[in-house]
Every structure is written in C-alpha cells, then in structure tokens.
Amino acid sequence: MASLFRSAEMTLCQLFLQSEAAYACVSELGELGLVQFRDLNPDVNVFQRKFVNEVRRCDEMERKLRYLEKEIKKDGIPMLDTGENPEAPQPREMIDLEATFEKLENELREVNQNAEALKRNFLELTELKQILRKTQVFFDEHEGGANPTESMTRALISDDSIARQSTLGPVQLGFVAGVILRERIPAFERMLWRACRGNVFLRQAEIETPLEDPSTGDQVYKSVFIIFFQGDQLKTRVKKICEGFRATLYPCPEAPGDRREMAMGVMTRIEDLNTVLGQTQDHRHRVLVAAAKNIKNWFVKVRKIKAIYHTLNLFNLDVTQKCLIAECWVPVLDFENIQLALRRGTERSGSSVPPILNRMETMEDPPTYNHTNKFTTGFQTLIDAYGIASYREMNPAPYTIITFPFLFAVMFGDLGHGLLMAIFGAWMVLKEKPLAAKKSDNEIWNIFFGGRYIVLLMGLFSMYTGFIYNDVFSKSLNIFGSNWVVNNLTADYVLKVDDVMLDPAEGDYLHHPYPIGLDPVWQLAKNKIIFQNSFKMKISIILGIIHMLFGVSMSLFNFTYFKNKLSIFCEFIPQVIFLVFLFFYMVLLMFIKWFMYYSTNDKTYIKYSPRCAPSILITFINMVLNKETIVDSECDATMYAGQIPIQKLLFVCAVICVPWMLLAKPVYIMRNRRKMNYSVSHQQMQQATGNGDAEQPMHNNTSQPVAAHGGGHDEEDLGEMFIHQGIHTIEYVLGSVSHTASYLRLWALSLAHAQLSEVLWNMVLNKGLVFDGWEGGVILYIIFAFWACLTVSILVLMEGLSAFLHTLRLHWVEFQSKFYSGQGYAFLPFSFENLLDSASQTAEE
C-alpha cells in the first residue's frame, strides 16, 4: 500500500552474470517484470554489439512467422489461442525452431508456386475453351460457302474488288483469336481501326463467368475476340497491337473438325488440372492448419528470445569475457523476489557460479514506480497523463478515486443519466475478460474500456447527486411527499408551472426540511432557477475550497517525508493561513448565514429574516477593501458578534502571509550562507596565522579573487531563488482567487445539464404525450425513440465528456498544483507481458 500513496522505493543495482547463465537469468527477470536495465554501451553501434547475430536470426524467424500468418489469414483458418504463456526456449532450441520455420516456409512457397503454375495453365486452357466455343459461333453465323471466310472477305473488300478478284481466284484471309480484358475492348477496337485503316474485321464476345488471376487471386472479366485480315503486313501489325494491349493469342484451327478435336482435348486437360489443383489446395490447407495450431506460441517464443538478446546487448563484458555486467533499477521491496528469480535462472542453466546483485550509491534520480491493479490503473493513467510523479512524491491517484467521480457527479447530477452510465460501466466490468480477449483496435472503445471502473464510479456518484438534486430526466421523485402547501395544486394547475411561486415566508412552508435532497415541489416553481442558482453556487465554492485545502495539506506530507522543515515554515504554514483566513472564512460565513437566517414575517425576528441576510460576496469584498456594509436600519450589518474586528484581523494575517511566502525562505538561506562563509573564512585565517602566513601580502591578493568568484555564484543563486519564490508566491496568491472562481464550473455545468434535460423533455417527449388513442401510442413510440437517441448522444455522451474534461482540469490545475510537481520519469521494467502486449497491438494495427 505504501507504493499506492507514494511511489515505491527504488535502488540502483549492479548485476554480475556468468556467460552461460546470463540467458536463463534474463529470461526469469523478464517473466518477473520488475527490473529496468540501463544501457551500458550507449556509444556502441547497434550492429557492433555482441548478440547482434542472434537478434538478426530472431528477426528472420519473425519474418517467416508473419508470412505464415498472412497465408493462414488468407485462407480464413482460425489460429488457435490457448492463452498459454510458454517460457523462452533455450538457445539450443533456436536451431530447431529455425529448421521448422524454414521447412514450413519452403514447403508453403513451393506449394504456392505449383498452385500458381497450375492456375495459370488452368486459366490458359479455360480461355482456349472459351475461344473455341465463341469462334465456333462466329464461323457458324457465316456458313454457306465452300470457304468459311467468304463472308469475311465480302466485309473487307468492295464489290468491284470482288468482281476483279473473281477472275483471279478466291481471296485467302488470315485471322487471329485471343482473350483481352473487357474494359480494354473499346480502346483496342479504336486502335485496330486507326492502325490498320479499317482493313481488319473484329468480332468479340464477352465471357460471362469471371476468371481468376493466378498472380493476385482477383476475379477479372475478359472477352474473346477474333480479327480477320489480309496479308502478312497487317498480321504483323495486328499482333503488335494485341501485345501492346496485353491480349493473349491462342491457336484456333480453321477447319470445324480440328476445332472440335482440340476442344475435346482441352476439356480433358481441364478435368485433369481440376483434380491436381484440388489435391494441391488440400495439401496447402493441411500445412496451414498444422501451422495455425502453434503459430501463437511460436510468436511468443521468438519474441521472448529476441527480447532477451536485445537486453543482453545492453550489458558489458568483463576483460575475460566470462562474465556479463549490468546495471538496473529495482524496487527495494521486491529485492528478494529478484534474487530468487536469478537463482532459478542459474539452476536452469546448470551453472555453478551464482549471480551477484549489489546495491550502488548514485546521485541520479530513480524512476517512479507505482503498484497498480486493474481497478487503480485507470486513475493512475489520468495522473500520469499530466506528468509522472517525481521520485517518492505523494501520489494523487488514490484520492482521485473518490474526488474525481464525485466532482464529475456534481456537474452531471441526474439519477436517470447516471443510471445509464452506471449500467454501461457495470457491463464492461462484468464482461471484462471476454471483452479484453477480443483486443479491439478501435481507439475510442479502448479508452472507454480502459476506464471502465472510472465510468462505473462516475455513474454511481451521478445517481447519488441526482438523488440529492431530485432530478430524473428533468423530473422529480416524490418519495416522501412535500413539505410545502401550495393552494390549488391540481392536475390542470401543475401544467401552468409559471404560476407557482414558492415563498417560505408566505406560510406555504411547513418549516421542516425534506428528508433527503430537494423537495419535488421545486420542479413546479417559477423561482426554481433562482433557488438552484444560490444552492449550487454555494455548494461549488464549499467543495472547491475544501478540495484546495486538501491539496495544500498534501504538500505537508511531501515536506515531512523529504525533511524539508524550511518549506514547512516558509511555504506550507503561510499558504494554509492565507487560504483559511480568507476563503475558508467565506465558507464559514455561508454556513453561518444558513443557520442564522430563516423565513419569517414576525416583526420581532425581522433581523433574522431573508430580507436582512447580507450577501456573502459583498461581505467578502468589503472585508478585503476594509469597507463597512450599508444595511437597512431594521437589519443588523453583521452575522455574529465581533465580526468586523475578526475580519480585519484575518485580513491582516492573510496580507502578512504574502511577504512571508516571498521573503522568508530566500532571506533565511542567505543568512545561513553568510554565516557559513564567515565561519569558513575564520577557520582559514586561524590556519594561516598558525602557519605564519598571515603576514604575507600574496595570500590576501590571491584570496580576493576567489572570494569574489564565490560571491558571484552566491549572488546569482540568490537572485534565481528570489525570482523563483516571487513567481511561486504570485502564482499561489492569484491562483487562490482564480482557482476558487474556477470551481464555479461545478455550478454552471450542473445548471446547464439540468436545463438542457428539461428542454429536451418539454420540446420532444412532451409532444408525444398529448395524443390519445392508438395513434397516440404509435406517435409516442416514435417520439420516445427520438428522445432516447438525443438523450444518450447529447446528455450522456457529449455532456458526460464535457463534465469529464472539466473535472480533469480541476484535478490537474486547481488540486495538483498545490503539491504535485510531476517531473519524474516512469519505471519501464523489462517485462515479457508488456512486450507481448505492445507487439500484438502493433500487429493488429
């Protein structure tokens, strides 16, 4: 528990490990996760360190595993995650792992290459089959002559040319057939027409079913084409155009019998290929299924090995190269656990020389380490987001567990909205393990889930404050009746809320308060806003000043722990006096006013009536300005006997605290330094006189520059000290005023939340309550759904985020500035758990 309220005590240790036991010992420390190693080779290049080859081997194994993982995900095979955490393998097991991964990778690559070649062959045969089928249709359309290309000839040459050619003999046309991507057909056709000047005849038909690209695995749509031409020159030109458009040409016999024979052979080969492809895919699937069972554990083992060798690269080798030397930060309370882990590592490695762990003295500031669990982690994260606590500084996190959700609830006080938030938080807490196992990469969800206990507490505290405010979705709970007697309070009268005016002096009040919270009749009052303004504003000031006083008192624990008595007398005491004598006194005036003044019309007690109650703000301003309050002749200017002299005394004491904070500490230090310098100079003079050197003028001449030089440093340090103390004093004095006013955000956001909730009720849900019959039920159902969406999105999410940010500011600035410096650095131990979590998150991204 000590490290919860204050960071754990740390010590710097030197670790000596035998070379044969170093790997096993570091492995045990990684499982323990309580040691932060320092880099003892900061000037050595990463590629020149001792274990760089082992790290490269681990990188290569990790690359092969990622390749296997990608292939497994491509086939949609589930990877078995047993939740086991295997230990880091021994160095000799790396060879077996490398051999296993090499075999799997080579086998999988060979299978993929064979499958790709088979798919490419299958694609070619499929395209050839489509060409034979489509071109048969083309040829069948022009049957009738002895030459099947006669009609093509007539399409390419004119009638005169036909008559002239008929005397010379039949014209022989050539043709090419192939397959091209469907989207390239228009450009392909235009290019043929322009390049061949219209002397070719193109026919094309779409392939209905998509074809698989063997290289990428994508489904593509293609078309079959056949081009008729005359002459070798056009043939060469057509083939170049087909090559440019990446069209695939296939041989197509001209005779129908040859085409049918080729088609039968193609179908036979396709059936054989389908059989071989199926066997290849089955073999690939079996290989991937076997790999999927162990790939999670393999990843864990490889990453642990890599982390161990990376850590060993931080160590130094002694001269004999038989011992590794490391420096590390360890928590003092866990010193024995670390020694036990080192002993286990030595036994596992079979070494006979035990490791040596020695504490070291250092002037360096240790890292900050706070023990957390799943409940306190969220609150500690809020504090660390502002700044890591300095070493052994008071930790605000345990106090924030109460103050953060409470101040949030003051602004978000609604029983209904708090219930929704509490249900959401409770659901995340109850479903904690299955939700954490999903490891979502949604950043917003991870923020909510990481702060699930904060959300739960904020919801529960909001339910409490909502019960105190008697506010449930802008309505009240009438549990204990009402302590007001309002005439004509009927159902019709309730709808006319502007006509109800509550005045306790008019006899409507029964003179005993509602048992818990606000009386529900205030929901009908015309002066509800005035009453809630006064109530919530005073509550905000009271809570704020108590919160700030608690923050100032926390600084006392810091000063006491670090034995800084000077700061206790020169900073803590004047700060408390200043804050108590001015602002806490204002809080006392509020309570005095609540107890002294009450509703009455009796002339005998007129000076205790609300009309005679003085304003707290005016009283406080007059106290600071030393002015008298002007009141009615029937009223008393003071709330208690001797108020004016006491206020003057308190103000004078508060004013004295300002120079006290500004000058006391620097002046005290300056006087101590002068006394110290005087005593040192006196001792030097006595020593010089005893040695007979006092009469030598050279001593005085040489000592003057030294004294002058030292005096210059003292003056510079004192100047910086005065400046620092002046800034600190001004910040505290002005901050006490501004921070007190800053807590008024509790009142402002609470009032805004209540009014926005009321507006949403009256302007949305209330519209659905005025309809009768079954139509009214349907309309109310639709309007309620719309109102519920607006309530969750605006009043719960947006208003909740706004209240959360304002609460965060009150803690970071108004509370923590009183005692928390936040200038430390985090303790980052060598931990397999943290490394594996970060590696898995990186892999998911």
Side-chain angles (χ1 to χ4, degrees), residues 698-711:
M698 289 296 294
H699 176 77
N700 294 331
N701 292 335
T702 56
S703 63
Q704 286 178 359
V706 175
H709 183 70

Side-chain angles (χ1 to χ4, degrees), residues 803-840:
F804 179 88
L805 294 177
H806 283 283
T807 309
L808 197 61
R809 181 244 153 76
L810 290 176
H811 281 78
W812 280 358
V813 179
E814 278 73 20
F815 174 59
Q816 292 177 194
S817 63
K818 302 295 187 294
F819 69 97
Y820 187 73
S821 62
Q823 296 178 352
Y825 63 99
F827 175 64
L828 301 175
F830 170 61
S831 171
F832 286 146
E833 183 179 359
N834 296 337
L835 290 172
L836 294 175
D837 288 343
S838 60
S840 62

Side-chain angles (χ1 to χ4, degrees), residues 29-48:
L29 294 178
E31 297 290 350
L32 191 62
L34 290 173
V35 177
Q36 177 179 336
F37 292 100
R38 302 173 66 185
D39 190 0
L40 300 182
N41 308 299
D43 300 328
V44 180
N45 192 288
V46 177
F47 303 102
Q48 296 176 347

